[in-house]
Every structure is written in structure tokens, then in C-alpha cells.
Amino acid sequence: MNPAIHPFYKASVLAIRSAALAAALLVTTSASAVTDIRQASPVTDSKGGGDTPSQSDPDILRHNNPGLTVDLGVGLWGIPLPVDYDGDGVKDLLVSCPDRPYKGLYFFKNIGTPRHPRFAAAERISEKGMNNIRLSEVDGKPYVLSKNFEYPDFFKAPYAKKRRLHYEGEELGATYNKSRSNMWNYVDWDGDGDKDIVVGIDTWDDYGWDNAFDSLGRWTRGPLHGYVYLLENTGKGYVNRGKVEAAGAPIDVYGAPNPCIADWDGDGDLDLICGEFVDGLTWFENIGTRTEPRFAAGRPLANKHGEIRLHLEMIVPVVSDFDGDGHPDLIVGDEDGRVAWVRHTGKVKKGMPQFESPVYFTQQADLVKFGALSTPCAFDWDGDGKQDIIAGNSAGEIAFIRNLSGGENPVWDAPRLFTVNGKPIRIQAGENGSIQGPAERKWGYTVLSVADWDGDGLPDIIVNSIWGKIEWFRNLGSKDGLKLAPAQPVRVAWEGETPKPAWNWWTPEPGTLVTQWRTTPVAMDWNGDSLTDLIILDQEGYLAYYERFRTPGGELLLRPGRRIFHGTNCSLYSAKKGVVETSEGLLRLNDGIGGQSGRRKICFIDWDGDGRLDLIVDSQNACWFRNVREEQGEVWYEYMGNVNERILAGHTTCPTPIDWRNDGTPELLLGAEDGHFYRMANQQKQTR
């Protein structure tokens, strides 16, 4: 394609074709209404505070786009509490976010209608965000519980008071070595007029963790387990009656059961719907009575379109008649902080209540967000002279977030997904693509960079993922810029067998590049020969340079990786431990195996303005390796520590260079685990 007749890409072409490495660097790296239940609830900060980013450094990225509507969401792990929080007769949403940096309890006011809800931007009402927090409604009154506790004044002062819930009998989960989900629900289980407690708890003991596939890709450990327990209110206290059974055996779903109890089929007794760790829901019909529940075998909850599945994993369903039509609905939180409405139609078919397919709630745009574990690359994709954001996420998607205004504080469009053959790109692990086992089957962990990989004048996308396969998507040059060709493997002229991480159960195809999972494939012209090279962790965790060359037949290939990067005071780095080895030597950014391997997000940038390209590595925010010298094609880096003290990650961040000020001083944009983006000023260069 001739870029001269396609001005849509002109600026991008100029960027990626720049012969000056330093200039090219900036663009090529990387839910019954309740009457005023909150009363005088203290609103601590509508825009942040505590662990929530404010306008200080680093700044959280905002849409700056009034009137834009986006998916409603908080940070990582959104736990919904649907309730009429402001007493206006329409149900709103409280959403608990238990993970930093966006930790807290958030209020989303419903500015729509019960049937057609739409929400205002989030208002932070508590700096505390909890996992395993649960809303129950009994006789039209809302209660909030967590493991062992009730919060009696939750809607006046969240978490300010709590009351311990004592019970007799075996301690719940006492024999479980690893449990992640422990959800407590009030319910009148047996129709005697008091509040019993039903608990959903899981165990990972049989599952274990990490690197347990045989040579055929079969998981050699067990499944996740998710059990439901009854704590009966005897009038004198609670007694643990043990596991709830269905069809004569204990209910056991695939982790995180999150029991949702209601008269789902309208026959006057209480039925049960359980969630799971992944994305599904299981229906257990009460074939007993209101006073003596007895459950049939579980069936996947389905409608006319098939089994009802949520978009991502770690789903958290809760019961709420959200639209007030008399039929209980499911309000479901997703791992990426979004919340979906699974609306009950009021119909029953073949003994199963019928629900509409999940619809994710929307809100007035505020913070720019793309799923969880967002992985941005700043690049002028549409060729209009303004740096856009191309980003991956934990769901395995890739999005274009368009810069609409340019300038120091851009106006941002909503994320739009790239497509292949008319369908959004969605890389997923499936049953055996994750080192950490089949529980991660719907994760993809796309991380990427942008460059003209095939030399046709159009920017392409080079991707790594949960699989560790380095692939690229060719830009088809469509008008909207979102249509890509199917993924192709990046080709390497290996001498002998194709190397792979020692723990991979599968063998790579000859001539492909398979390395450590979730690591940035930095595509850039490293040696200034106008061919796009690749820099990435190799299969053993060393930072390696894969030089591009053209064969006599004209094919573009990579040479096998060379370890040309050295650390002067840090030869082995860990994002959790920092400097592991202080000796000088080849730079190894991770020596972990299995699930602890990879995970490195990197970019190159002249951070201190000395004319040499420094290395930025993920950390609690971003870690700076200063380029101290280059000799005979080798580079030496000095470990300088984090560029900022702010904690932005429970797992990893993802850095990319930006220059929105257009002053030649690069800054950093960091994608965080919470799915938001954080802008970090370059204080180092500003002080020179």
C-alpha cells in the first residue's frame, strides 16, 4: 500500500520509518427500593484519595470526554451490592474493589430507570474495599456480611461497626489449606421466620498450582471445589449443619460457589443458583418444600442461546430484583471490575428459570480503563499526529483507544476492539494454555508493541500472551483501522531445534518464537538498518536481542537471540524482590520457573536525557535501569530503583513512553493490574 495515497497512516509511517532510534522509540515500544438507607453516609473523595490516584504524580488517566458512555467498572475484582443507596426509589450499585491501587467502596448512582439503568461516574464512599463481602436481602431489608461478620450500619458508615457471627460445630474450611472464596448470606432457609446463614466456600487443595500438565497437555492434579454450607438459626444461636446436598451428594461446583438463594422458578420454595471460579452458573431446583428444602442435581444455567457465560473469570453473582418486576435477577461482578445484569424473564422452561444473556452496565465516562492488567503501547495508530493507546488485557483482547484532541491532557475515546474476520481478537488459554492450569482457561494476558513488521508502510501489532507465543497481526488498512489479518508466528532462523521454556508441555513449531509468558515483545529498529528487530526475554529469562535480516529470497526473519544486555550492579532482577544478584553480568530479568516465570513488561526510553536508551521494567510502578555505556554492540545498565514510590501493582505494571507535551521530554504511561492507566512525569530529566 502506498502511504502517499493513504494519509490516514502518514504520521505513523513517518514514525516507524524513522532512522533515528531515539525518535522511533517513543512510538514503537511496547441492583426493592429501600428508603434512604445511607442517610448521612460520608463521602470521602469522589475522585480518589487514599490508595486511589488523584491528580498528583502519577496521574490516573481520564477520558476528559463529557457525554461519553463506557462500561461501568472499578478496578480489579468488582463485587456488586445492588441497593437503592440514595433513597430515590431506583436501585443503584455499590461496588467493592479489594485490590490496590483502586481499593475502596464505590457508589454508582442510577441516573436511568429501573428497566433501563445507566449510571453516573463512581463516587468513592470508603477507602476500604473488601473481598468476600456480600449483600443479602431478607423480607425486603438489606444486610451486608463477610466471613464471620455482619456490618449493621454499613449503609450509614461502611465497615465502621461489625458483629461477629458465632456458630457451633465444625469450623468452616478448617481442613482447607487454600481457599479464596468465602461468601456468607442471610436467608430464611427453612421458612421459620428467622435468618439462617448459607456459606459458599471453595478449596484449591486438589488443584494445587502451577506446571502440572503431562506431555499430552492433560492436567495431572484435581479440580477446584466449591461447597455450600448451612448454619441453621436454632433460636439460641447458629449450628453448622454441614454441606448442602443435591441429588444425594454434597454440592460441588468449580470453585467460588457464591450461593444465590431465591424462589427462582416461582413455585413458592427457595431454589439455589451457584456461581463458580470461571464464568458459569449452576441451577439447583428445590424439589422439596419451603420448610424442608431438597435439591435436584445441578444443571448449567442456560437460555435459548445456550449456557449463560460471563465475559471473564472470578465471577461474583448476587440476588437482586433490579428492575422491580417481582422476579429476582442476578447481578454479577467480573474479574475486570465490570458488573453485568442477568435479567430474569419471569418464565420457566423445562424446569429451569429463564434469564436474558448478561448485559454489562454502563456509566458516564471518567477514568480510562481496559479490562484488568492493561498493557498499553503509545502509538499514533490513525496517523493524525497524536499518540493513541493500543492495549491488551487479561481477557486476551486488544483495543484501540483513540486520542481525540492531542495536547498535554488528551480527550480519549472509548476502547474499541481490534477484529479478525469480523470477530474481536480474543486470545485465551483454554484447558491447557496456562502454566497455572485449567482454572485460567479464559485468560489471555495480551501484551504487545506496534511497528511496521512486514515493511508495507502500515503499523502492525506484535503480541505475546499467556501462551508465550510471539505472533503478529498484519494491518489490513481498513477505514476504521481495526481490521487485522489472522495471527501469524514471528519467524526465527534457528540453528537446530526451536528452543522453549523447560516447563512447557508442548513443542513449538519449527522456526517460531516461543518464550516466557506475559512478557513484552519490543519491536523496534535497534541497530538502525531500517529493519524492525525484536527485544524480549528469552526462554531462560535473559533479555535478548533478535536481529532482523532479509534472506536472499527476500523473506524477513529474525536471527537467534543474543544476550547483549548486562547489569553493572544487578545481573538478576525480580519484580517482587528487586535486586537478587548485585554482581556484574548478563541481565536476567526473571529466573523463576512455571507460573513465576516471565511477567516482565519493558520499554526503552532515554529517561535521563543523556542520549542513550535506558530500560524501564515493571515493578510496584516502574523500575529504571540507566544505560551507562555501550561497547561493540553490547549495553551495560545500572539499576536505579523505582522511579516513583506509589504502589500501582499487586502483580505487574506495563510501561510505555509518551510525549503528550511535545517538548521532547518523554514520560511514562503505566498500565496497572486494576485496568487503569497512570501517567508518570519524568522528574529525573526535568532536574538535569
Side-chain angles (χ1 to χ4, degrees):
M1 182 176 293
N2 185 352
I5 59 175
H6 291 274
F8 189 68
Y9 292 104
K10 188 175 292 182
S12 294
V13 171
L14 291 174
I16 60 181
R17 283 307 201 186
S18 173
L21 179 60
L25 179 65
L26 285 174
V27 293
T28 58
T29 316
S30 29
S32 77
V34 180
T35 303
D36 198 12
I37 60 176
R38 76 164 174 170
Q39 297 179 5
S41 175
V43 177
T44 59
D45 188 351
S46 64
K47 298 296 185 183
D51 285 334
T52 303
S54 66
Q55 292 299 319
S56 61
D57 182 30
D59 297 336
I60 193 167
L61 197 67
R62 300 183 181 276
H63 277 284
N64 302 318
N65 195 347
L68 180 67
T69 298
V70 297
D71 284 349
L72 179 148
V74 295
L76 192 67
W77 302 321
I79 302 174
L81 295 85
V83 70
D84 180 10
Y85 185 67
D86 56 5
D88 65 355
V90 180
K91 281 200 174 181
D92 312 296
L93 275 176
L94 299 184
V95 184
S96 176
C97 180
D99 201 59
R100 61 191 180 190
Y102 204 74
K103 186 175 183 179
L105 182 67
Y106 294 86
F107 166 48
F108 293 88
K109 178 179 174 57
N110 189 349
I111 55 177
T113 66
R115 185 64 184 91
H116 300 286
R118 180 174 173 263
F119 296 87
E123 180 180 316
R124 189 168 185 254
I125 61 173
S126 174
E127 296 183 4
K128 186 174 183 177
M130 284 188 66
N131 202 358
N132 292 319
I133 197 81
R134 189 75 166 171
L135 178 75
S136 311
E137 285 189 17
V138 182
D139 296 329
K141 184 179 179 181
Y143 299 88
V144 177
L145 279 67
S146 68
K147 178 184 177 182
N148 294 322
F149 292 98
E150 179 194 346
Y151 298 87
D153 295 323
F154 188 85
F155 302 108
K156 298 178 182 179
Y159 308 106
K161 296 181 181 180
K162 61 182 181 181
R163 180 173 68 89
R164 189 170 185 90
L165 300 171
H166 298 279
Y167 59 92
E168 298 179 0
E170 182 181 353
E171 181 182 352
L172 292 173
T175 62
Y176 304 157
N177 294 315
K178 182 178 178 67
S179 181
R180 301 179 67 164
S181 181
N182 199 322
M183 290 290 196
W184 289 46
N185 308 258
Y186 274 151
V187 63
D188 183 1
W189 180 259
D190 48 12
D192 62 357
D194 56 25
K195 298 193 299 294
D196 307 295
I197 300 173
V198 173
V199 180
I201 185 170
D202 64 11
T203 173
W204 291 62
D205 291 359
D206 287 348
Y207 184 87
W209 198 263
D210 204 32
N211 194 23
F213 291 105
D214 64 17
S215 61
L216 298 177
R218 298 173 298 198
W219 186 244
T220 60
R221 298 189 180 129
L224 303 185
H225 296 286
Y227 303 118
V228 179
Y229 289 83
L230 171 64
L231 305 182
E232 183 186 2
N233 188 340
T234 65
K236 299 179 180 181
Y238 292 102
V239 177
N240 183 0
R241 299 303 189 190
K243 295 175 182 175
V244 176
E245 294 187 350
I251 288 173
D252 185 4
V253 298
Y254 199 82
N258 292 296
C260 298
I261 304 146
D263 183 9
W264 295 108
D265 56 6
D267 63 356
D269 56 32
L270 296 183
D271 313 293
L272 177 63
I273 293 176
C274 286
E276 61 167 33
F277 182 81
V278 187
D279 63 349
L281 300 153
T282 305
W283 156 247
F284 297 91
E285 181 185 2
N286 185 352
I287 55 175
T289 66
R290 177 67 181 90
T291 57
E292 296 183 0
R294 183 167 60 89
F295 297 97
R299 292 187 286 160
L301 193 66
N303 59 20
K304 62 182 180 181
H305 304 294
E307 293 184 11
I308 294 175
R309 300 281 181 177
L310 277 294
H311 184 70
L312 209 56
E313 297 201 14
M314 304 179 71
I315 64 170
V316 183
V318 65
V319 183
S320 177
D321 180 7
F322 199 80
D323 56 2
D325 67 354
H327 305 298
D329 308 311
L330 290 166
I331 306 299
V332 188
D334 228 332
E335 184 248 2
D336 61 4
R338 296 186 301 161
V339 179
W341 184 12
V342 186
R343 183 177 175 270
H344 197 322
T345 66
K347 300 177 181 179
V348 179
K349 185 176 181 179
K350 296 183 179 180
M352 180 177 291
Q354 294 299 291
F355 294 83
E356 296 176 354
S357 297
V359 175
Y360 285 90
F361 289 126
T362 60
Q363 66 166 89
Q364 295 174 327
D366 183 14
L367 308 179
V368 183
K369 177 175 167 62
F370 183 53
L373 286 157
S374 57
T375 54
C377 176
F379 191 92
D380 181 12
W381 181 263
D382 57 7
D384 64 357
K386 303 182 291 287
Q387 278 189 323
D388 310 299
I389 298 171
I390 312 299
N393 62 16
S394 67
E397 301 163 323
I398 305 172
F400 171 44
I401 307 174
R402 188 181 182 190
N403 185 337
L404 298 174
S405 70
E408 183 176 349
N409 295 297
V411 174
W412 297 99
D413 200 358
R416 293 188 292 153
L417 299 178
F418 284 97
T419 64
V420 170
N421 295 327
K423 296 181 179 180
I425 292 169
R426 184 81 191 273
I427 297 173
Q428 297 183 67
E431 289 292 323
N432 53 23
S434 173
I435 300 164
Q436 298 181 152
E440 299 191 348
R441 66 186 71 130
K442 287 194 76 172
W443 281 322
Y445 296 122
T446 42
V447 58
L448 53 91
S449 61
V450 180
D452 182 4
W453 191 249
D454 57 358
D456 68 351
L458 298 177
D460 308 301
I461 300 177
I462 299 88
V463 180
N464 193 3
S465 68
I466 197 168
W467 285 89
K469 299 177 181 179
I470 312 303
E471 301 177 310
W472 70 287
F473 293 90
R474 183 170 62 87
N475 189 342
L476 296 177
S478 63
K479 186 177 181 181
D480 65 3
L482 299 177
K483 295 180 177 60
L484 305 176
Q488 306 174 55
V490 165
R491 295 290 179 182
V492 183
W494 297 111
E495 299 174 359
E497 291 186 1
T498 302
K500 64 168 183 152
W503 48 87
N504 277 22
W505 65 265
W506 52 280
T507 300
E509 294 293 326
T512 63
L513 178 56
V514 173
T515 186
Q516 304 210 10
W517 72 329
R518 303 167 62 177
T519 62
T520 308
V522 181
M524 59 188 301
D525 181 7
W526 180 260
N527 60 3
D529 65 355
S530 297
L531 298 179
T532 304
D533 310 302
L534 195 71
I535 300 171
I536 193 170
L537 268 64
D538 65 18
Q539 70 276 6
E540 295 181 338
Y542 291 92
L543 190 62
Y545 165 50
Y546 295 79
E547 183 184 10
R548 202 81 176 280
F549 73 100
R550 192 180 297 275
T551 70
E555 184 180 7
L556 287 169
L557 297 176
L558 294 172
R559 303 186 192 279
R562 293 191 289 126
R563 299 169 179 174
I564 65 170
F565 305 100
H566 307 258
T568 60
N569 63 344
C570 173
S571 57
L572 177 58
Y573 169 80
S574 163
K576 289 186 177 181
K577 300 177 182 178
V579 177
V580 178
E581 295 182 6
T582 59
S583 59
E584 181 172 337
L586 291 172
L587 185 57
R588 195 176 192 185
L589 295 178
N590 197 332
D591 66 343
I593 64 172
Q596 296 304 309
S597 66
R599 301 174 182 259
R600 292 288 75 81
K601 316 298 193 304
I602 64 173
C603 69
F604 292 91
I605 182 173
D606 184 5
W607 189 246
D608 57 0
D610 66 355
R612 294 190 294 264
L613 292 177
D614 306 308
L615 173 66
I616 304 295
V617 181
D618 65 276
S619 68
Q620 68 179 30
N621 49 75
C623 183
W624 176 26
F625 286 79
R626 184 169 69 94
N627 186 332
V628 294
R629 72 178 192 274
E630 300 180 14
E631 297 176 358
Q632 299 180 343
E634 308 274 313
V635 187
W636 278 258
Y637 292 106
E638 178 185 10
Y639 171 81
M640 305 296 292
N642 290 327
V643 300
N644 192 281
E645 295 303 314
R646 185 66 175 275
I647 296 177
L648 296 180
H651 281 78
T652 63
T653 58
C654 181
T656 188
I658 58 173
D659 185 14
W660 296 339
R661 302 178 190 269
N662 289 314
D663 62 358
T665 299
E667 300 178 312
L668 287 173
L669 184 69
L670 301 175
E673 187 174 19
D674 66 8
H676 296 113
F677 303 91
Y678 298 85
R679 179 178 178 177
M680 187 172 291
N682 190 340
Q683 297 174 335
Q684 177 66 27
K685 187 173 180 187
Q686 291 173 354
T687 59
R688 288 180 63 86

